[in-house]
Amino acid sequence: MATCLRLRSCRAPRLPPAPAGRGLRPGCPAQPRRSAGGPAGLSAALLRTESFVGGRWLPAAAAFPVHDPASGAQLGLVADCGVPETRAAVRAAYEAFCSWRGVSAKERSSLLRKWYDLMMQNKDDLAKIITAESGKPLKEAQGEVAYSALFLEWFSEEARRVYGDVIYTPAKEKRALVLKQPLGVAAVITPLADQAAIPPGVYNVIPCSRAKAKEVGEALCTDPLVSKISFTGSTATGKILLHHAAGSVKRVSMELGGHAPFIVFDSANVDQAVAGAMASKFRNSGQTCVCSNRFLVQRGIHDSFVKKFAEAIKTNLRVGNGFEERTTQGPLIDEKAVEKVEKHVNDAVSKGATVVTGGKRHQLGKNFFEPTLLSNVTRDMLCSHEETFGPLAPVIKFDTEEEAVAIANAADVGLAGYFYSQDPAQIWRVAERLEVGMVGVNEGLISSVECPFGGVKQSGLGREGSKYGIDEYLELKYVCFGGL
């Protein structure tokens, strides 16, 4: 949504137009190239493989393959864009802003609402794309599309509520105004906006392979026409982008790694805690930034929790292809992800942990791993201080509240944290003491478009969603009006 924003004067010298795609007549929209096949039950008409710049689908000199992690089948060859294509997209966004900034808040609100409506009308097709590319169960993918669309709905409403202030100063002949103005160009990847009549250049899509990701990321972070960098990914990559962005002092939003603790106190309702643990741990096979990564369970309730947690895993989780209706656990994104889970399990077992259930690769294929529960886990094991990003639930036994909070906070990241307790005083204490940006109290699913999403420490900067999220893309301007 923020791709359109650029806080530069439209009276600045006009930039040269972005180069047209090969074989394209100026002013004529390109017809997108689509994948020749439709693997994994995916219609070929859904797969678009080129970049989208200035309202046109454009080819690139090279392409990279995208595979279905469940079957290994090639879904398509996607345009592998580099620095020239990235610069062209930035120029297109910059030029589009000169007219887009003058569009009324009401009209922009209507366009975003139309975009939301189109996403919801096409949610099933969009979900198929997500499942084919990531392997997650189709129902989860449908929920992800709906959740994403809600951000368009929310900010279509917030767009009409960006208010400033009038400040009365000590000087009678002066008034002070505070204006909120759009920050500038930012990069974003979104579906269906063209059909929503979003003007050309307001949003652009530049896909690239892992091999070119470094140069493309650096180009975006160092381009003087870009005012905002928003990134979701690993903490290590976020630090690199921050370094590049610092050269031109760009505003940044970073949603980086997590290592979420899930604490169960003796006063907790065990059945509720197990249900929350299942929801928090195994969504997308443990591959979300807010998935619980460490389970801290107080001694008095430990054995009961582990037993019921194991029963729930065995009863409720079914590993399979994301397109199969009964599947609750799809594959991991690639074999490297499986190797990390395997490494964490082997390390824990070698240091004394017990495999309660799971513990090895699944027979379905190289990218599948069994949902795994470990007990007798200690703080020196890899899974206790590294984010696994997979279907592994390690349980650490603790004795006191102070011990649990200390273990939970002994991390250099702090995105989400969860705990279960029926003690009101304890709830207040722990909620305030956990060093995370978001806390789930007796709840395993906390994401909501109405609430601020983000972390502390090395989990990132800024917030997404809520009434606070739009401020990430606005500048405050103070105007002193004298001579009154």
Side-chain angles (χ1 to χ4, degrees), residues 127 138-148:
L138 188 58
K139 289 183 179 179
E140 280 193 22
Q142 290 168 338
E144 183 174 327
V145 172
Y147 179 58
S148 299

Side-chain angles (χ1 to χ4, degrees), residues 198-214:
I198 304 294
V202 167
Y203 83 103
N204 304 274
V205 181
I206 299 293
C208 72
S209 63
R210 182 172 297 179
K212 291 186 178 179
K214 181 178 179 180

